[in-house]
Amino acid sequence: MSDFSGMTTLNPGYRALVLGASGGIGGAFVAAIKADPACGSVVELSRSRDGFDITDEASVSAAAARLSEAELKFDLVICATGALVIDGNGPEKTIKAIQADVMSAQFALNAIGPALALKYFGPLLSNEGKSVFATLSARVGSIGDNKLGGWISYRSAKAALNQITRTSAIEIARLRPKGVVVTLHPGSVDTGFSGGFSKGHDRIQPSESVAMMLSVLDRLEPAQTGGFFAYDGQPIEW
């Protein structure tokens, strides 16, 4: 288990925002952050609870506008949205199985959605001390680490997410030099996310994955912004 005991590098009383808060990993992030004595408050957004839809720009824009109107700034933003199986369609085993609409759905949720989150919630990052914006990627999104093939739509969407985050980090650093913007691989987590496709792999509980990821975020420094890291803190090649 992780020795995570709180976000010690953020300002005391820090404010957090969790997107996708009703999911297995998102809910675990909310629980862990709320349990941190240094946390001041947590704002939760999800489709099932308040209609927040990461794939709908109007929904993302409206949610960010409400927070901006309330003059809220955040020290920690977690984008915990995403899915491997969408509308019953799992990852392809071969290029022959590619379907344009299925691939579009993967990009809408796993790449374009987080891009919209960065566009609208990035400006809400605090500029007082260290701030963090983390999105959930996946090791299979690594181009250099791809030795097995398959899962073309999901892999490609996550690879796109990595580039989106990397590029956004460069821009955000110009206005927030103490900011850390990264993608994280949460590991094979025991949630309904994988739709049974993680069978045969050792899985960890959401609370354990989240504790380790928060420890990683706590250790990361602004010089590491734009990186891609595993839940144990190891960098992952692009």
Side-chain angles (χ1 to χ4, degrees), residues 114-221:
L116 293 174
L118 283 158
K119 174 182 178 179
Y120 288 103
F121 296 108
L124 300 184
L125 283 173
S126 172
N127 202 18
E128 297 181 4
K130 177 181 173 180
S131 60
V132 177
F133 195 120
T135 59
L136 294 187
S137 186
R139 188 180 293 276
V140 296
S142 166
I143 296 173
D145 189 57
N146 185 357
K147 306 297 191 298
L148 298 175
W151 293 30
I152 296 171
S153 296
Y154 182 72
R155 285 183 185 273
S156 301
K158 288 299 189 180
L161 168 60
N162 292 342
Q163 180 69 287
I164 289 164
T165 304
R166 173 77 169 183
T167 305
S168 299
I170 295 170
E171 181 176 341
I172 289 172
R174 294 173 185 147
L175 294 177
R176 293 170 176 79
K178 294 182 181 179
V180 176
V181 180
V182 294
T183 53
L184 294 175
H185 166 58
S188 295
V189 184
D190 190 12
T191 67
F193 174 90
S194 64
F197 286 91
S198 63
K199 289 181 180 178
H201 296 274
D202 291 334
R203 289 182 287 179
I204 57 179
Q205 294 301 308
S207 59
E208 184 176 1
S209 170
V210 161
M212 290 188 283
M213 287 191 286
L214 286 172
S215 291
V216 171
L217 295 177
D218 195 42
R219 297 194 302 270
L220 291 178
E221 300 178 356

Side-chain angles (χ1 to χ4, degrees), residues 9 18 28 36 41 58 70 80-81 83 87 96 102 106 128 135 142 149 159 167-168 171 192 194 204 225:
T9 59
V18 179
D36 182 359
S41 62
T81 59
D87 297 329
K96 295 179 181 179
V102 173
Q106 282 288 340
E128 297 181 4
T135 59
S142 166
T167 305
S168 299
E171 181 176 341
S194 64
I204 57 179
T225 193

